[in-house]
Amino acid sequence: MPIMAEQIKKRKSRNLAADGFLSEEDHQRRKLASSSIPTRKVHDASPKNSNALRGYSGQQQTIAQLAAKGVFSAGNYSSYYAKRLPPGSRDPRIDVMNRAWFQNKSCLDIGCNVGLVSVEFIRTLGASKVRAIDIDNSLILRARAAAKNIPYPRNEELAKRLLDVSWVPASFELSIGPLKTLAHYITFDCEDYVESGDCNDEEYDVVTCLSTIKWVHLNNGDSGVQRLFHKVYKSLKPRGIFILEPQPWKSYRKSRLLTPEIKAHFTSIKLKPVDFKEFLVQKVGFSRIETISNDSGCVESGFATSQGQQRSIYACFKE
């Protein structure tokens, strides 16, 4: 069957541009190309839907219910990137990552939000396969919808040209292969990583956890963070890398009163962020840790907080 360009035109772009997947120029061009096509609604897992939270853990249900009230107790902000990045720009944390760590490698991204960074592991850093997870299903649904509309890197220029033609002959696929989107190479799953079952041994080359560990800590205490670190280590292949971006302790203090449970966990925390590196080496088993961006500002492309301060990013190496 021929590939119809009309199918490409039907791809939604509004959410892509809002989340930073498309430049403003691409957004406007695609908006014009599909202006006559009604926008499809994406199912949202909200507490108003009696089936939406079926199968969720107790903590996932609580987080979803709080989010519906505007309380993001797991850092599951619906406009996380919109407030931190200009439309169409790439997350600067990607620029401090070593491409060799990702090239043709498998990756797990913990706390992916709407997947803006997750897709760049493939598009920019060359990962062969990515599994991205988040505790909030509404964010996962947005990430899945976006990935279906992003051409796989080697097809990007070709896909743009197809927007201007009416049809493509059947011989097209035989000569260069089918057009694929990132959805073929990335999987988005709603998962509570701390509470989910044991992971497979030596499954991933890289595991990332960017600006997420604070929320794991505040919702699960020291034991939750320790469990996450040990699960990550177990799931990494030999010579695998765990890339961790912890929030500083003062960030914890700002969120300590969000819920009574978070307040209780905050007061019981003994394993502070400044202790993570020592714990990861001495208790978990990582052989060494490198700082690839830090809050002194020496790496200008590091991801800045809303106050303009840059957070440390650690690369933890497994033998």
Side-chain angles (χ1 to χ4, degrees), residues 78-120:
S78 57
S79 57
Y80 180 81
Y81 291 108
K83 293 181 178 180
R84 289 165 171 79
L85 296 174
S89 64
R90 186 172 68 198
D91 192 305
R93 289 174 293 187
I94 293 296
D95 297 325
V96 301
M97 304 292 180
N98 188 334
R99 182 179 174 85
W101 296 342
F102 292 85
Q103 183 75 46
N104 299 319
K105 302 293 179 61
S106 59
C107 175
L108 171 67
D109 185 20
I110 302 171
C112 66
N113 198 269
V114 295
L116 180 59
V117 171
S118 311
V119 300
E120 294 301 333

Side-chain angles (χ1 to χ4, degrees), residues 177-232:
L179 283 173
K180 293 185 178 180
T181 67
L182 286 185
H184 288 82
Y185 304 92
I186 187 168
T187 302
F188 289 101
D189 294 317
C190 181
E191 180 178 323
D192 182 345
Y193 188 74
V194 174
E195 296 297 329
S196 62
D198 289 336
C199 58
N200 295 328
D201 292 351
E202 301 181 358
E203 184 174 4
Y204 300 103
D205 296 293
V206 183
V207 176
T208 60
C209 185
L210 306 177
S211 291
T212 297
I213 199 67
K214 176 185 86 170
W215 301 106
V216 173
H217 216 165
L218 290 176
N219 283 282
N220 300 276
D222 285 346
S223 62
V225 169
Q226 293 168 9
R227 176 171 169 77
L228 182 146
F229 287 163
H230 283 287
K231 283 187 68 175
V232 166

